[in-house]
Amino acid sequence: MSRYLSWLAPRRTRLALCAVAVAAPIAVAASVPLPYTVLTPGISVNTLGSYQGVEVITITGHPTRQPEGQLRMTTIAASLPDYSPRIGEIAEAWWDPKRAIVPRNSIYPAGQSVSQVNATNQQAMNDSQQAATTAALGYLGIPASQVTVQLKLADVGGPSAGLMFTLGIIDELSGNGSGKPGAAGDLTNGKVVAGTGEISDNGDVGAVGGVALKTQAAAADGATVFLVPRSECSDAEVNTPKGLRLVPVDTLDQAVKALSALQTGAADVPHC
């Protein structure tokens, strides 16, 4: 007689059986690894200081100054390519301001090994450092033949530190141009300023991605100002940490002028 229960059972019993039938594939799906990468806020590094015991910026052949403020470049951290989040983790990340889920091939291109990806990112970092040096010296009007700039940042790849490298070089060579010592002569007025943005040889600032996570990294290290490529303002405004001021820029010149305006208390500082 039990074989007829599915036909004769009350409606709620039939619904319960349906729920079990639907839940089974959902449970299976929840355990299936998916081709995505988990992103989280990475480290931020003061370009005016040292990282892993090595000075980030070393300048020879020209007088330098010692700033008191900080110019922090920001990063994001990505899960390794052999890690695959489950659907539950993806759902949790949707509500977590400190996590993001992106297609794996947007971080690790198909067909490339981890070593190839690292090599590509390192080359982008090297190119960024060269562009930062060119842009900074060009902004200050210092011939490249009269000064040597070395930039070192181990274990960090990609082009997004370009703007902060450039500002760091300018701060160590000239500060805000006033000639004053210490914080009064800093681009930052002695404060903690963070940011992101690719830099070109002529000082254009380009978008880089991951801004909503980078603001988290900046705030965690005490930044109160965050320089962001203007085209990424809307991204930067997502879950912006309390007390972090977003300043959009398109060029190096705009970035320097914005920092100067912040220092003097001018009312025309751009904001997202």
Side-chain angles (χ1 to χ4, degrees), residues 40 67 75 79 94 97 116-117 119 126 180 195 214 225 234 240 245:
T40 56
T75 67
S79 57
W94 180 264
Q116 288 174 318
V117 172
N126 294 341
K180 297 177 180 179
K214 291 177 180 178
V225 174
S234 58
T240 306
R245 183 171 187 169

Side-chain angles (χ1 to χ4, degrees), residues 53-79:
V54 178
E55 289 296 314
V56 176
I57 299 174
T58 303
I59 299 174
T60 55
H62 193 282
T64 59
R65 57 186 303 278
Q66 182 59 55
E68 292 185 8
Q70 297 183 27
L71 287 165
R72 305 193 74 90
M73 55 80 66
T74 51
T75 67
I76 55 176
S79 57

Side-chain angles (χ1 to χ4, degrees), residues 71-215:
L71 287 165
R72 305 193 74 90
M73 55 80 66
T74 51
T75 67
I76 55 176
S79 57
L80 295 176
D82 58 355
Y83 176 78
S84 297
R86 269 57 174 177
I87 193 170
E89 184 174 358
I90 293 175
E92 290 177 2
W94 180 264
W95 304 103
D96 187 347
K98 294 187 177 181
R99 282 191 294 172
I101 304 291
V102 299
R104 184 183 297 143
N105 60 14
S106 68
I107 304 296
Y108 304 106
Q112 287 193 9
S113 65
V114 175
S115 61
Q116 288 174 318
V117 172
N118 288 339
T120 298
N121 286 337
Q122 187 57 54
Q123 185 59 54
M125 170 62 81
N126 294 341
D127 293 343
S128 174
Q129 292 174 341
Q130 182 58 54
T133 299
T134 301
L137 296 182
Y139 178 84
L140 294 173
I142 299 175
S145 59
Q146 294 180 13
V147 60
T148 299
V149 179
Q150 291 184 314
L151 301 172
K152 295 182 180 180
L153 197 60
D155 302 327
V156 179
S160 66
L163 173 60
M164 303 312 289
F165 277 143
T166 307
L167 292 172
I169 295 169
I170 292 173
D171 211 6
E172 291 199 8
L173 285 171
S174 180
N176 58 23
S178 68
K180 297 177 180 179
D186 288 354
L187 284 178
T188 64
N189 196 28
K191 305 294 178 58
V192 181
V193 174
T196 190
E198 188 171 359
I199 197 77
S200 69
D201 289 351
N202 63 4
D204 290 331
V205 177
V208 290
V211 174
L213 295 175
K214 291 177 180 178
T215 58

